[in-house]
Amino acid sequence: MNQLFQQVRILDPIERRDRVVDILVIDGVIQEVSDNTQLPTDLETIPGQQLILAPGLVDLYSHSGTPGHEERETLTSLLKAARAGGFVSVNILPDTLPALDRASSIISLDREYHQLAAQIPNCPQLGYWGALTLGVEGAAMTELAELATTNITGWADGRAIANPALIRRLLEYLQPFDLPIGLYALDRQLRGQGLARAGAAALKYGLPVDPVSSETAALAAIIEIVADIATPVHLMRISTRRGVELIAAAKQRGIPITASTTWLHLIANTSDLATYDPNFKLTPPLGTADDQIALIEGIKTGVLDAIAIDHHAYTYEEKTVAFGEAPAGAIGLELALPLLWQQLVVTGKLAAIELWAALSSKPAQCLHQSPPTQLILFDPYESWLVTPTSLNSLGRNTPWLGREIIGRVNDLNNSQLI
């Protein structure tokens, strides 16, 4: 069926264009309608005044239950959740069981992915971060050159590496390779048993505090090592105002870094811990309200290059425990776009094009990849109830379970714009 979408809003983060046009879809190929466009006779006309047509989203890093924890998330449920959320590419961290620290593990998982991709319509691309250290334990380097022979996205443990000397050796060894390197800045000794970012809210709720320095001390060390070695690095999960300031200063010095925060750190802060909902327990913990403002401003100014989802599914039993005993992490692939749109774009904190760039073209740039060409259709006014049956992910660990949210992605069959 040929379709004409009337007055659709197009977001183009590469050209920085935000405009309203008529769109014609013929056999999956999309073109703008002009005065001389020949319209087919078998045409379905669809009012598009509330629809947004834009490039698909790219997730920098998330967690897969496959292999080893399929009770949390299968590869099928992960891919379907990503597709439902508008993601055309998702890149998984190597903290699987076993870890993705050997070429054979990457090849095996990639084979499974391609078998599934043939069965899942409009299946997102799946990328793999190869582990920097064996078992992602931060102690001994993996066979990095061997991993480079596979189709890895780049290298990252997704966990903090405590030894600065090891970080330096890794950056020296990986300098000849043109692949991203992701590092997470955290000093575990400074964090101690902290559960909430230090501030008035943490004290009010009686939660052990995690000081800002647990992020910034490790971040400052990584930045200085990168300045010394000059190997480009992507800094993951920035969560504090001071972290944003350090990155801004490093970029002004010309140090080759990019950085990301996660979607939940942009729309929630320590005040949301008042209910002790274990689904708000994250690593790093939610920042203060001041941190949240700085992170949003960091996305707006480009100090923070991209927004990651860091989707991490857990079983109901794992998360339905006391806040301090729950594992850290929440799902987000299906929820991030509508909630970010409502809380940042609708409120005027970010322009639509700024949010879309941080979720689409800029993550691709951080991964040294071309921007996505597949398009998605987003309805920012469609409401839906977040329930176990409405979610594709097996994980139910989200604070929005049982709540209505506004905004949903419609399927466009991986159409391309001409």
Side-chain angles (χ1 to χ4, degrees):
M1 176 71 72
N2 298 318
Q3 297 173 309
L4 176 66
F5 291 89
Q6 295 179 314
Q7 296 297 285
V8 177
R9 182 181 181 184
I10 289 186
L11 296 179
D12 184 346
I14 300 299
E15 299 294 333
R16 305 288 293 181
R17 291 188 294 182
D18 183 347
R19 54 206 171 98
V20 176
V21 297
D22 289 345
I23 292 292
L24 180 63
V25 183
I26 301 178
D27 296 329
V29 178
I30 299 174
Q31 59 180 307
E32 291 184 28
V33 174
S34 61
D35 292 338
N36 59 359
T37 301
Q38 295 296 315
L39 299 179
T41 56
D42 59 335
L43 191 63
E44 178 189 8
T45 301
I46 302 171
Q49 285 83 353
Q50 67 179 30
L51 300 178
I52 293 170
L53 183 68
L57 311 182
V58 175
D59 183 30
L60 280 168
Y61 43 88
S62 278
H63 304 260
S64 171
T66 303
H69 286 292
E70 285 80 3
E71 75 281 2
R72 296 175 177 170
E73 188 82 279
T74 65
L75 209 53
T76 299
S77 65
L78 176 74
L79 293 168
K80 288 183 176 180
R83 183 190 63 184
F87 288 88
V88 297
S89 174
V90 60
N91 297 274
I92 60 171
L93 291 166
D95 58 342
T96 52
L97 189 66
L100 302 182
D101 57 1
R102 290 175 173 80
S104 58
S105 299
I106 301 286
I107 293 169
S108 175
L109 187 57
D110 191 47
R111 186 182 301 116
E112 182 176 352
Y113 160 68
H114 282 288
Q115 291 172 347
L116 288 172
Q119 305 168 24
I120 300 174
N122 310 322
C123 186
Q125 291 291 318
L126 187 65
Y128 320 95
W129 287 97
L132 287 164
T133 67
L134 292 173
V136 293
E137 294 176 353
M141 287 193 299
T142 57
E143 293 290 340
L144 300 167
E146 179 185 340
L147 285 172
T149 64
T150 69
N151 63 336
I152 58 171
T153 295
W155 290 275
D157 273 6
R159 300 177 183 175
I161 298 175
N163 184 351
L166 177 57
I167 294 175
R168 182 185 174 90
R169 289 199 300 274
L170 285 163
L171 297 189
E172 289 174 334
Y173 191 92
L174 292 174
Q175 193 169 56
F177 298 93
D178 186 26
L179 287 172
I181 304 164
L183 294 176
Y184 170 39
L186 169 66
D187 187 313
R188 292 191 184 91
Q189 289 185 312
L190 283 171
R191 181 185 65 181
Q193 301 301 311
L195 297 176
R197 187 64 72 199
L203 293 174
K204 179 180 178 180
Y205 306 141
L207 294 169
V209 299
D210 181 346
V212 170
S213 57
S214 70
E215 174 171 288
T216 56
L219 183 58
I222 290 172
I223 288 172
E224 290 307 310
I225 293 170
V226 174
D228 191 23
I229 305 297
T231 303
V233 160
H234 180 77
L235 300 166
M236 309 164 66
R237 304 190 183 107
I238 302 303
S239 66
T240 64
R241 172 176 287 279
R242 182 58 185 150
V244 174
E245 292 170 350
L246 288 172
I247 291 165
K251 286 188 171 184
Q252 288 177 351
R253 292 167 57 193
I255 297 174
I257 57 172
T258 56
S260 59
T261 188
T262 82
W263 75 287
L264 273 172
H265 287 85
L266 292 170
I267 64 172
N269 59 54
T270 48
S271 65
D272 292 289
L273 303 181
T275 61
Y276 302 96
D277 185 341
N279 294 311
F280 273 129
K281 183 181 179 183
L282 307 173
T283 296
L286 291 172
T288 64
D290 186 56
D291 291 327
Q292 183 185 6
I293 292 169
L295 294 173
I296 295 170
E297 185 65 18
I299 292 293
K300 190 174 187 68
T301 60
V303 172
L304 298 179
D305 299 85
I307 301 170
I309 307 305
D310 210 7
H311 174 98
H312 203 163
Y314 286 102
T315 65
Y316 176 83
E317 291 76 16
E318 286 176 302
K319 269 292 193 177
T320 313
V321 293
F323 184 88
E325 298 173 5
I331 62 171
L333 286 169
E334 296 169 86
L335 306 172
L337 176 58
L339 287 167
L340 287 168
W341 185 273
Q342 287 298 315
Q343 298 198 34
L344 299 184
V345 177
V346 172
T347 60
K349 295 174 183 175
L350 285 180
I353 206 75
E354 292 168 340
L355 174 64
W356 218 276
L359 286 168
S360 181
S361 58
K362 288 189 174 182
Q365 291 171 5
C366 292
L367 297 172
H368 306 177
Q369 297 173 1
S370 300
T373 57
Q374 299 108 314
L375 299 171
I376 62 171
L377 199 61
F378 176 58
D379 185 344
Y381 299 100
E382 181 180 345
S383 63
W384 58 289
L385 187 64
V386 182
T387 66
T389 55
S390 67
L391 290 170
N392 289 274
S393 171
L394 292 183
R396 304 292 178 258
N397 49 309
T398 171
W400 282 272
L401 191 66
R403 295 164 61 180
E404 185 176 67
I405 63 175
I406 301 173
R408 202 160 201 180
V409 173
N410 296 319
D411 202 342
L412 255 184
N413 298 316
N414 283 347
S415 299
Q416 310 276 331
L417 180 67
I418 63 170

